Amino acid sequence: KGCTDAGELIELMKTHGQSFNAIHVGAAWGSLARMRGAGGRGAEGVVVQRLQVLTKAKTPDLGARQVTNIVHSIAKMHSRGRTGADDELAGKLLSRALATARDFNPQDVANLIWALAKMGTKADARLLESMQGRATATARDFLPQGVSNLVWALATMGITADARLLG
């Protein structure tokens, strides 16, 4: 969290990357997404490549929160014209989201679906059904912002929100 540019993140990953756990990987993506191109595109490209490798290796260890944080960070980068995930990584993250769907809380659901909509990703129907199921199961716990983000994201993807979420 203390890195201010891609160069510092590269050094951190060189020094401690082998000991990164799922939480560290998610935090590194979050740090990179918050950077406004500091360190130049070349340095950012190195970080993205290293994070992709680390994330692919740690995917089996990722929980719902880490998957959501990583996908959300990649979406924020995408919305600023920056690259984050190759197709292999995107597939692994979305598969892991489906595998951990029962652990998603309302914010995780809203953030994941928002990220997919923001990137224009065509998500697997099973994942969308699973996330809508989690949304309705946890509807009472949603904050208004989460409902708004989720409904916007679903509408952006051409999907009607489950009436139980809106009722």
Side-chain angles (χ1 to χ4, degrees):
K1 287 190 173 198
C3 296
T4 59
D5 65 34
E8 289 179 9
L9 198 47
I10 289 170
E11 287 305 312
L12 180 70
M13 290 185 342
K14 279 183 185 176
T15 305
H16 301 287
Q18 295 299 329
S19 63
F20 273 25
N21 62 27
I23 294 169
H24 296 124
V25 171
W29 279 107
S31 291
L32 183 60
R34 284 187 297 280
M35 293 175 193
R36 303 273 182 192
R41 293 267 184 210
E44 183 172 296
V46 171
V47 173
V48 168
Q49 288 177 334
R50 290 184 183 189
L51 278 177
Q52 286 182 4
V53 170
L54 275 171
T55 306
K56 288 172 189 175
K58 296 294 182 183
T59 299
D61 302 328
L62 297 176
R65 175 59 52 93
Q66 288 86 38
V67 170
T68 300
N69 289 347
I70 293 167
V71 175
H72 191 265
S73 295
I74 291 169
K76 286 177 16 182
M77 292 172 62
H78 177 82
S79 71
R80 295 181 188 134
R82 296 159 62 199
T83 302
D86 60 22
D87 290 342
E88 180 187 359
L89 177 57
K92 285 180 176 276
L93 289 169
L94 297 182
S95 292
R96 188 65 186 156
L98 183 59
T100 60
R102 70 188 176 288
D103 300 327
F104 275 62
N105 66 34
Q107 184 177 351
D108 295 335
V109 171
N111 286 351
L112 180 73
I113 300 303
W114 175 90
L116 296 176
K118 196 72 174 167
M119 292 186 290
T121 301
K122 180 163 177 43
D124 179 272
R126 294 172 304 153
L127 177 61
L128 291 172
E129 288 172 20
S130 184
M131 289 297 114
Q132 282 231 64
R134 283 302 297 156
T136 56
T138 60
R140 291 181 182 182
D141 299 326
F142 266 84
L143 298 175
Q145 182 69 48
V147 173
S148 175
N149 289 349
L150 180 59
V151 171
W152 173 86
L154 291 170
T156 298
M157 293 190 290
I159 300 167
T160 303
D162 188 307
R164 292 174 290 176
L165 181 63
L166 304 174

